[in-house]
Amino acid sequence: MNEFWVLLTGSLVGITCGLTGVFLILRKTAMIADAISHTVLFGIVVAFMITQSLSGFWMLLGAAIAGLLTTFLVQVLQSGGLQEDAAIGVVFTSLFALGVLFITLFAGNVHLDVEHVLMGEIAFVPWDTWDILGFSMPKAVWMLLFVLLLNVLFLVFFYKEIKLSTFDPVFALSIGLPILAMHYSYMTLVSLTTVAAFDSVGAVLVVAMLIGPAATAYLMSKSVSGMIIWSMTFGVTAAITGYYLAKLWNTSIAGMMAAMIGALFMIVFLFKPHDGWTWKLFKRMKLKDTNVHV
Amino acid sequence: MDALQVKKLSVAYEEKVVLKNVNLTIPVGHLTGIIGPNGAGKSTLIKAILNQLPNKTGTVHILERPLNPKDHTVGYVPQRNAVDWDFPTNALDVVLMGRYGHIGMIKKPSTKDKQIALNCLKDVGMEAYADRSIGQLSGGQQQRVFLARALAQEAEVYFMDEPFVGVDAATERTIIAILKDLKAKGKSVFVVHHDLQTASDYFDWMILLNQTITASGPTEQTFTEDNLQEAYGGKLFFMDQTKSNKSFN
Amino acid sequence: MLTGNLLWVLIGAILLGVAAGLNGTFAFLQKQSLVGDAAAHAALPGIALAYLVFQQKDLPLLMLGAAITSALAVYMIQWIVGNSKLKADAAIGFVLSVFFGIGIVLITIVNQSGSGNQSGLNDFIFGKAATMAKSDLVWLSSSALLIILMCLLFFKEWKLMIFDPVFAKGIGLPVERLRVLLTALTVLTIVTGIQAVGVILMAAMLIIPAAAARFWSNHLGIILVTSALFGALSGALGTIISSFRTGLSTGPIIVLCAASLFLISYFFAPTRGFISKSLKKKTFKQRNVAKEATNHE
Ligand SMILES: Nc1ncnc2c1ncn2[C@@H]1O[C@H](COP(=O)(O)OP(=O)(O)OP(=O)(O)O)[C@@H](O)[C@H]1O
Ligand SMILES: [Mg+2]
């Protein structure tokens, strides 16, 4: 049964992150996800400093606000004339440093384990349960289901709007779409997804899950909807295979899932028919051959 | 009714003022050419009219009302589409995006919207490429798809920034036919154009621009050598000697 | 107060700041600030691998491992961007998280083999500048000096290569080799600093001073000098402030000093700073209003 919950949590992370990640790749804001996953630490520490409690709710809230703050600050620095990559880098490293400092200053003797933040403890998921409506399920599963629901609702209602404002923001603005509001709503979703997922699998795997499956799907698909389906499939596949390999080699589950994401990407990148890397190499060699013969 | 009315419009980027005190009044139902040398501020003028620039003063009215995107009265084809050509979408889908303003938030495109999109794609002669990924079209084909998207908006006033760049002669004729057709239907169309040879043939109204308006009015009154010399600042040689179809860049 | 070791830490931090400031500026201008972030994260599997292979904690060996995987990560990012439609941000994020994930897998294996200990991992993620051994600090300082020297030597070539690679190739510069050299130096900077300030904050040292310096000038030379200065200042201030109180780790304080310098630059730098820009916008509006008024008469 415990194995079932761990696998379910991993798969839910795969599905939710896979879904959210699609627009991260399309909007070329993948690194904002990386930034948010780091600044979540800052949010959690500040939430702890204010409430002096380690309750899940305040942590969630603190982390979500930190995610939004990151997005906002990056936007501000960019409109102040700083290029995007540097803006992201400045914001998240500074907030992360502040988070680490606060931990050492104010929360040193509390169990705010930085390694936990980075790597998560998916193996312990089944023991931390919530009873809601008479159901008892692991807290992580509840949170992931809730965030998944939010993600799905957002896409059901605003699919065409987010698609257009991603593809052609200038045009979207000219027909009156609130592109800034779309951006912040979406980034809130990214923050919530990050928070819900990182509690169980850690900051590293969240980034891997948000970016990797969607990036792999990007290579596979010719439509956004196709990309969404591929992305979720890759996410779940990586979660399940990663779990069993980690069990086999007795190592970090989250780390192994991230490694599997890497493996899936490489398979598609190298061997996808027609435009995989080896395929192209082969075609180039054939072209050279014909040139020589002519 | 005036299609466009601009009063005391000035625009700056950072500290540099690029448009000074522009005043324009143009009635509906004209195909208007916006003409001027590189860097004259043509693209800037259109962006300012469409309220896309922060640093501006003055007022703009379209169909005698301040611009409101929710009216769906304005269609825009930018000079260079800053879109991601690798985006997973096809030509028909892009044209369908022109309908989004009419469909409204949350709702899905209806079969009627899809039919309109398909017809617009047909109008620009691209129906055979409906399913083609947007990145796999040639530059001229992409240009036509974006024109089709503007048509799908079913707007009253159109702004097009150099729609003829990079398209072949046949396509240029197709596009101008479509524009003249729009005019015949009582729509107003503004087109930034560089080829002075064809300008008087295409447009019945003309705006000559170089940082400020040097002339604006019906083509036969404005498209004179004096006005052109003024707009192009003496860089222009005699019109009749440039029959070789050179561009004036 | 400046006891022997603290003096060495101070020198090390300043030199590291200068090296990262110079190197980071080149990365910044190539819009590759976050590549440094990925390379820093990618050092982790290298450290673990070196440990697994050699079974000892010799710093140079671990650093060699770190350098190899960092360089591999940078190369992989370029390879993915060059051979697929993925954009740089996706490639960077992907490589970063997967390498780090693999690093954690390996470190866990190290820890289970009994000989390593968990705190070793923390040291590389957060750094331990204040407690570094003197021999390590000497190593750090000389490596930083080498980086600074290289940046000064190849200043002109890199400038041209970044601004206009095609032209640079045209006049016979070995652009590819220059690029490899720059990447190698970035990796060396990261490897040099990682033990002192840690994986994540090393990225900060590369990014923040360069970004702050950009607000002060449009001249590459001046930007480089300013960035190096900011790097040195953050290193020095950070080391001194964190020595006031036990328990303050040096890395985060150095980064926060850099962040403060960034904020000052962002708001107060002449012409490109926020305040000066807002003032300019206002004068434009006022000037126009005034002009309109005169036009009316
Ligand atoms: N984003 C910008 N920042 C600063 N200056 C700009 C910007 N865009 C345009 N300019 C300047 O504003 C002036 C007008 O530019 P604009 O693009 O409107 O010219 P144009 O008439 O459309 O030229 P072209 O025929 O080349 O398209 C030019 O001098 C240009 O250098
Ligand atoms: Mg233009």
Side-chain angles (χ1 to χ4, degrees), chain B residues 144 167-176:
Chain B
R144 285 202 255 172
V167 303
D168 60 26
T171 310
E172 182 161 338
R173 275 196 296 277
T174 321
I175 295 179
I176 201 70

Side-chain angles (χ1 to χ4, degrees), chain C residues 89-243:
Chain C
D89 67 307
I92 293 171
F94 167 77
V95 167
L96 180 156
S97 55
V98 169
F99 270 67
F100 201 72
I102 295 174
I104 286 177
V105 166
L106 293 173
I107 294 259
T108 318
I109 292 175
V110 170
N111 286 335
Q112 266 148 13
S113 68
S115 39
N117 66 332
Q118 201 74 28
S119 68
L121 164 66
N122 258 345
D123 282 349
F124 282 108
I125 295 179
F126 298 108
K128 50 157 192 174
T131 56
M132 277 173 75
K134 190 171 159 196
S135 59
D136 290 351
L137 284 165
V138 173
W139 192 86
L140 185 156
S141 303
S142 33
S143 163
L145 270 178
L146 175 73
I147 295 162
I148 296 168
L149 197 71
M150 295 292 273
C151 285
L152 297 181
L153 276 179
F154 289 99
F155 164 72
K156 176 169 103 287
E157 284 75 15
W158 280 335
K159 176 176 159 179
L160 186 58
M161 175 195 92
I162 291 168
F163 176 65
D164 190 349
V166 178
F167 177 74
K169 206 174 252 173
I171 62 166
L173 282 183
V175 170
E176 278 323 305
R177 254 176 285 167
L178 281 169
R179 210 183 288 278
V180 171
L181 186 65
L182 187 55
T183 306
L185 271 200
T186 309
V187 169
L188 184 62
T189 315
I190 288 166
V191 168
T192 303
I194 230 170
Q195 214 202 5
V197 296
V199 169
I200 295 158
L201 301 182
M202 191 55 230
M205 297 286 290
L206 281 170
I207 299 170
I208 303 179
R214 186 67 185 87
F215 283 97
W216 294 89
S217 173
N218 278 324
H219 277 275
L220 179 58
I222 299 175
I223 296 175
L224 272 171
V225 172
T226 318
S227 173
L229 200 73
F230 283 168
L233 210 58
S234 332
L237 284 175
T239 311
I240 292 169
I241 294 175
S242 64
S243 75

Side-chain angles (χ1 to χ4, degrees), chain B:
Chain B
M1 179 120 106
D2 290 334
L4 175 68
Q5 194 182 51
V6 176
K7 275 192 190 142
K8 299 206 178 65
L9 178 76
S10 297
V11 182
Y13 290 109
E14 314 258 306
E15 51 223 279
K16 209 174 85 196
V17 179
V18 293
L19 279 182
K20 280 184 213 134
N21 197 24
V22 169
N23 293 291
L24 287 170
T25 307
I26 293 143
V28 290
H30 289 288
L31 182 48
T32 306
I34 302 177
I35 310 258
N38 287 138
K42 305 180 293 294
S43 303
T44 305
L45 175 65
I46 291 185
K47 283 184 202 153
I49 290 171
L50 296 180
N51 210 1
Q52 290 184 351
L53 298 172
N55 252 357
K56 71 166 225 236
T57 59
T59 59
V60 173
H61 286 88
I62 290 173
L63 297 177
E64 312 197 333
R65 297 210 299 183
L67 180 74
N68 178 2
K70 300 245 150 65
D71 292 348
H72 316 306
T73 44
V74 174
Y76 172 41
V77 183
Q79 180 167 12
R80 263 175 294 274
N81 264 297
V83 303
D84 173 8
W85 296 110
D86 290 328
F87 197 93
T89 186
N90 59 36
L92 182 60
D93 211 29
V94 171
V95 179
L96 195 55
M97 288 173 186
R99 301 297 306 160
Y100 284 12
H102 293 269
I103 298 167
M105 295 283 272
I106 299 177
K107 279 172 276 178
K108 295 209 160 15
S110 64
T111 27
K112 183 176 153 250
D113 292 313
K114 285 180 190 149
Q115 198 52 51
I116 293 175
L118 205 55
N119 286 341
C120 293
L121 209 52
K122 239 178 233 153
D123 286 345
V124 298
M126 288 286 296
E127 70 271 31
Y129 296 89
D131 294 331
R132 185 75 74 88
S133 284
I134 185 78
Q136 290 170 358
L137 297 171
S138 78
Q141 289 168 337
Q142 289 167 346
Q143 188 79 4
R144 285 202 255 172
V145 169
F146 281 92
L147 182 70
R149 182 176 74 175
L151 296 178
Q153 284 183 271
E154 298 188 327
E156 292 301 317
V157 183
Y158 284 100
F159 294 91
M160 305 187 178
D161 201 345
E162 305 196 20
F164 302 123
V165 167
V167 303
D168 60 26
T171 310
E172 182 161 338
R173 275 196 296 277
T174 321
I175 295 179
I176 201 70
I178 293 169
L179 298 187
K180 286 189 168 159
D181 189 41
L182 283 175
K183 184 182 87 170
K185 286 182 188 150
K187 318 255 168 168
S188 312
V189 185
F190 295 82
V191 179
V192 174
H193 192 55
H194 264 301
D195 186 358
L196 297 180
Q197 303 303 314
T198 50
S200 58
D201 195 23
Y202 288 175
F203 307 114
D204 61 346
W205 199 279
M206 214 61 100
I207 299 172
L208 297 188
L209 183 73
N210 195 353
Q211 283 195 40
T212 186
I213 304 292
T214 55
S216 165
T219 300
E220 54 276 17
Q221 291 165 29
T222 43
F223 202 63
T224 62
E225 199 169 306
D226 284 349
N227 282 341
L228 283 169
Q229 290 287 7
E230 195 187 339
Y232 282 81
K235 270 189 285 177
L236 194 65
F237 292 90
F238 285 69
M239 293 270 320
D240 359 51
Q241 288 180 4
T242 46
K243 281 272 176 328
S244 55
N245 241 351
K246 250 190 221 154
S247 66
F248 298 94
N249 293 335

Side-chain angles (χ1 to χ4, degrees), chain A residues 107-151:
Chain A
N109 42 7
V110 190
H111 180 75
L112 252 181
D113 193 344
V114 180
E115 271 166 45
H116 178 158
V117 173
L118 286 176
M119 292 185 277
E121 280 166 11
I122 195 171
F124 298 152
V125 157
W127 283 279
D128 191 0
T129 56
W130 274 351
D131 295 318
I132 299 175
L133 302 171
F135 285 103
S136 176
M137 287 204 293
K139 183 179 118 198
V141 173
W142 279 117
M143 290 207 308
L144 284 165
L145 279 177
F146 172 66
V147 173
L148 178 61
L149 182 71
L150 284 184
N151 271 300

